[in-house]
Amino acid sequence: MPDVIFEEIGPVQAQIPLVLSIPHSGTKVTESFKQNCASPQILELPDTDWYVHHLYDFCTKLGIPAIRALYSRYIVDLNRPRPGTTPLYEKRSPTGLVPLRTFSQQSIYKQAKEPSETEIEQRVEFFYDPYHRALYQALESCIKVHGIALLVDAHSIRSEVTSIQAEPFADLILGNRSGKTCPMDFLVKAREIFQSHALTCALNDPFQGGQITRHFHGAFEDIFCLQIEMSQRIYMDEESLQFPGEGWNKTRRALQEVIAFLGSEMSSRRLS
């Protein structure tokens, strides 16, 4: 059994009807992964959502609880469905629950060293299930107090990933499974806020929200879910992986304004 696999940040009880999920900023790996990975470059974990937990650390002062994974998405991807579940996207095949290739199509494991079905099941048991249970409990607690909850699933990605789309991504991509997991007016207003900070923003293209957005919207009647994806160029140096980058402060201000809007909107819906 691994050590602590996620951390709970901020208040135990949400002071406003929001909960924050940060599933992909973890950088821990297991010893067996170190032994079986294909190269030292894989251990640099190139598909990490670098420093997202630092970008959102203002949420603690707003009374928003956050759950942040500590292990890399290469161990198990917390934002992917279990085998046999309906695919996330009809026209694109994202990396799997336990990915075998990076976004750049590099092999993650040495030949014949890919994890077995038994090992995959163990990773689900040790890493995936506890994270999802923690999110469920945080949302359940939020709903008991506020009667409603919004789960914000926070991500970032390299600005250019040609295996996903040929051109660079917008600065921000907001996803609600094409209108299914939260009202479209949430996304439209958030886009206006980001654009007011001179940031480009796309809606549901190419990311609509992953398994966390899809699953937890169906877990409760009174829950909305929203995925916020962002290009890493807007807050860090993508080549050196150093932060803060030139746009760090601007990005944080924009995120704070968007989160404040979402909190206000959810609170007003609770009272209506």
Side-chain angles (χ1 to χ4, degrees), residues 101-127:
R101 291 185 175 274
T102 68
F103 287 157
S104 300
Q105 300 305 303
Q106 297 173 298
S107 294
I108 292 176
Y109 295 93
K110 296 173 184 175
Q111 189 173 5
K113 292 296 183 179
E114 296 89 351
S116 65
E117 289 187 12
T118 298
E119 184 174 353
I120 291 173
E121 290 173 359
Q122 290 174 340
R123 293 188 191 187
V124 169
E125 178 184 355
F126 293 156
F127 300 98

Side-chain angles (χ1 to χ4, degrees), residues 249-260:
N249 290 331
K250 180 175 79 170
T251 301
R252 272 176 59 89
R253 286 194 298 271
L255 287 171
Q256 285 178 291
E257 191 172 338
V258 166
I259 294 297

Side-chain angles (χ1 to χ4, degrees), residues 4-272:
V4 178
I5 61 170
F6 62 84
E7 60 179 345
E8 297 176 281
I9 306 168
V12 174
Q13 176 58 60
Q15 296 171 23
I16 58 175
L18 267 73
V19 172
L20 182 67
S21 165
I22 308 174
H24 288 159
S25 73
T27 55
K28 287 187 174 186
V29 295
T30 62
E31 286 301 318
S32 64
F33 181 86
K34 292 177 183 178
Q35 295 169 8
N36 295 328
C37 72
S39 69
Q41 287 72 33
I42 295 300
L43 286 176
E44 294 175 2
L45 308 176
D47 296 327
T48 300
D49 294 11
W50 296 108
Y51 315 121
V52 167
H53 53 297
H54 293 303
L55 271 173
Y56 284 89
D57 61 11
F58 62 84
C59 286
T60 296
K61 293 182 179 179
L62 298 178
I64 299 170
I67 312 293
R68 180 215 168 199
L70 299 179
Y71 276 79
S72 169
R73 67 188 304 166
Y74 289 168
I75 301 302
V76 67
D77 193 329
L78 303 169
N79 202 30
R80 295 292 182 266
R82 295 169 179 271
T85 308
T86 304
L88 289 172
Y89 297 97
E90 293 182 0
K91 298 181 180 180
R92 174 163 60 86
S93 297
T95 52
L97 178 67
V98 174
L100 301 181
R101 291 185 175 274
T102 68
F103 287 157
S104 300
Q105 300 305 303
Q106 297 173 298
S107 294
I108 292 176
Y109 295 93
K110 296 173 184 175
Q111 189 173 5
K113 292 296 183 179
E114 296 89 351
S116 65
E117 289 187 12
T118 298
E119 184 174 353
I120 291 173
E121 290 173 359
Q122 290 174 340
R123 293 188 191 187
V124 169
E125 178 184 355
F126 293 156
F127 300 98
Y128 188 97
D129 288 344
Y131 186 87
H132 281 244
R133 280 197 299 269
L135 275 183
Y136 186 96
Q137 290 165 1
L139 290 165
E140 185 177 47
S141 176
C142 184
I143 290 172
K144 284 182 179 178
V145 172
H146 300 288
I148 196 170
L150 172 65
L151 174 60
V152 175
D153 198 35
H155 296 263
S156 76
I157 192 169
R158 293 196 311 278
S159 301
E160 295 186 50
V161 181
T162 56
S163 63
I164 297 176
Q165 69 176 33
E167 63 275 10
F169 300 123
D171 295 334
L172 284 300
I173 304 107
L174 308 179
N176 67 347
R177 303 295 300 175
S178 296
K180 295 177 182 177
T181 63
C182 76
M184 282 302 300
D185 58 315
F186 283 22
L187 274 65
V188 171
K189 178 59 178 178
R191 178 174 61 184
E192 291 176 1
I193 294 171
F194 285 127
Q195 290 174 337
S196 75
H197 289 267
L199 295 166
T200 61
C201 184
L203 306 185
N204 288 301
D205 184 24
F207 305 112
Q208 298 180 13
Q211 177 65 6
I212 288 172
T213 302
R214 181 174 71 173
H215 171 73
F216 283 100
H217 175 253
F220 300 91
E221 291 184 3
D222 300 305
I223 182 172
F224 295 142
C225 295
L226 166 63
Q227 178 174 290
I228 301 180
E229 183 70 87
M230 76 180 79
S231 293
Q232 291 172 349
R233 65 171 178 264
I234 69 174
Y235 69 89
M236 61 176 279
D237 185 315
E238 292 186 288
E239 295 301 319
S240 67
L241 301 183
Q242 295 301 304
F243 88 105
E246 184 177 346
W248 178 269
N249 290 331
K250 180 175 79 170
T251 301
R252 272 176 59 89
R253 286 194 298 271
L255 287 171
Q256 285 178 291
E257 191 172 338
V258 166
I259 294 297
F261 155 70
L262 293 171
S264 176
E265 185 68 21
M266 290 297 295
S267 295
S268 66
R269 287 173 180 260
R270 176 194 63 184
L271 296 173
S272 63

